[in-house]
Amino acid sequence: MERHLCETGAVPVAGRIAGVDEVGRGAWAGPVVVCAAVTDLSEPPELPGRGKKTVKLTDSKLLTAAHREAFAEVLPDWLIAHAIGAAGPEEIDEVGMTEALRRAAVRALEGLPQRPDMVILDGDKDFLKRRWPVRCEIKADQRSVTVAAASVLAKVHRDRLMAELGREHPAYGFGESAGYPSPVHQEALKAHGPTPRHRMSWSYLDDLPQWRHLKRHRDPLAGEGQLSLL
């Protein structure tokens, strides 16, 4: 049975429920990616584990890379529908992360063959701005298999994309770091500067004097900035 947030009674159970999750919000390079997933509330697939144990569908961060890849192969057959939306670095620089995330989520939801009756968002903020009835829940990707499915598919999709970008820019280790600030990534930035795949409005550039002049300054009313992680 779907471990579903609407069972709490806070929100009436809707006919077609989409779980939504994102990946890449805190990366320094690459897009933010959102998946919207819809199930029929049937039992989710499980993977064989050690001995007689099985691996259950959950938040992608709690699964190994191998298990995420394995789930990504079987989830499309279990789901009624799913769709991916994304916003790239230039769009993030232009409008800020909150708006870029909203746009990516709207693209995912509008990519579904039928409009959902309700959306479950992982987190405590409704960034969709009332376009759908929304239930926000912290750690929804651990409590709802619909959101967990979206979490896995978004993560696998973005990891594969960043691996491709890593072949274009091998010094930055995108295939391993997925654009997050790993030591290899940070050293490459110091030595070579940002690539066209980097988010140029973020304040990591403030900590790189030789590349600081490349920073893109955005109207503060267009969205929030990003704190330095160096």
Side-chain angles (χ1 to χ4, degrees), residues 11-33:
V11 178
V13 174
R16 186 174 292 270
I17 301 168
V20 170
D21 204 6
E22 55 78 22
V23 64
R25 189 185 310 202
W28 289 2
V32 60
V33 171

Side-chain angles (χ1 to χ4, degrees), residues 1-229:
M1 177 63 68
E2 159 87 80
R3 301 188 297 277
H4 206 283
L5 299 172
C6 291
E7 292 173 355
T8 62
V11 178
V13 174
R16 186 174 292 270
I17 301 168
V20 170
D21 204 6
E22 55 78 22
V23 64
R25 189 185 310 202
W28 289 2
V32 60
V33 171
V34 176
C35 180
V38 180
T39 76
D40 61 2
L41 305 184
S42 63
E43 288 287 343
E46 296 181 353
L47 301 177
R50 293 183 178 179
K52 296 182 179 180
K53 295 182 178 179
T54 59
V55 178
K56 296 184 182 298
L57 178 62
T58 187
D59 173 12
S60 64
K61 296 186 291 297
L62 301 180
L63 297 168
T64 66
H67 287 150
R68 287 195 296 267
E69 288 283 348
F71 270 122
E73 293 301 315
V74 298
L75 285 173
D77 290 334
W78 172 63
L79 293 168
I80 293 175
H82 73 283
I84 297 287
E90 291 186 0
E91 190 169 13
I92 293 169
D93 288 335
E94 180 182 355
V95 300
M97 178 52 73
T98 298
E99 174 61 16
L101 178 59
R102 187 193 71 79
R103 291 183 182 185
V106 168
R107 288 164 187 158
L109 286 163
E110 290 183 342
L112 295 172
Q114 290 183 289
R115 179 182 175 88
D117 300 302
M118 194 186 77
V119 174
I120 301 174
L121 293 180
D122 182 36
D124 61 355
K125 292 183 174 59
D126 176 6
F127 51 79
L128 289 176
K129 298 183 179 178
R130 301 175 183 257
R131 294 192 62 164
W132 288 267
V134 169
R135 168 69 186 264
C136 299
E137 186 73 22
I138 295 172
K139 295 186 177 180
D141 46 13
Q142 297 179 38
R143 300 182 56 196
S144 165
V145 290
T146 307
V147 180
S151 170
V152 169
L153 292 173
K155 171 70 173 165
V156 170
H157 178 92
R158 188 177 187 277
D159 282 354
R160 290 173 179 174
L161 173 61
M162 294 307 296
E164 292 178 9
L165 298 184
R167 289 188 281 273
E168 293 179 16
H169 307 282
Y172 297 80
F174 289 159
E176 296 73 34
S177 70
Y180 285 83
S182 68
V184 169
H185 186 177
Q186 293 186 48
E187 286 303 314
L189 276 169
K190 291 177 184 177
H192 308 294
T195 72
R197 308 299 185 175
H198 278 87
R199 301 170 187 182
M200 301 299 294
S201 61
W202 287 29
S203 59
Y204 68 84
L205 283 168
D206 294 336
D207 300 294
L208 301 170
Q210 68 273 45
W211 308 111
R212 192 179 298 157
H213 66 285
L214 298 175
K215 184 175 180 181
R216 180 175 175 181
H217 296 279
R218 187 179 60 247
D219 182 344
L221 298 178
E224 80 291 350
Q226 167 67 22
L227 297 177
S228 171
L229 299 180

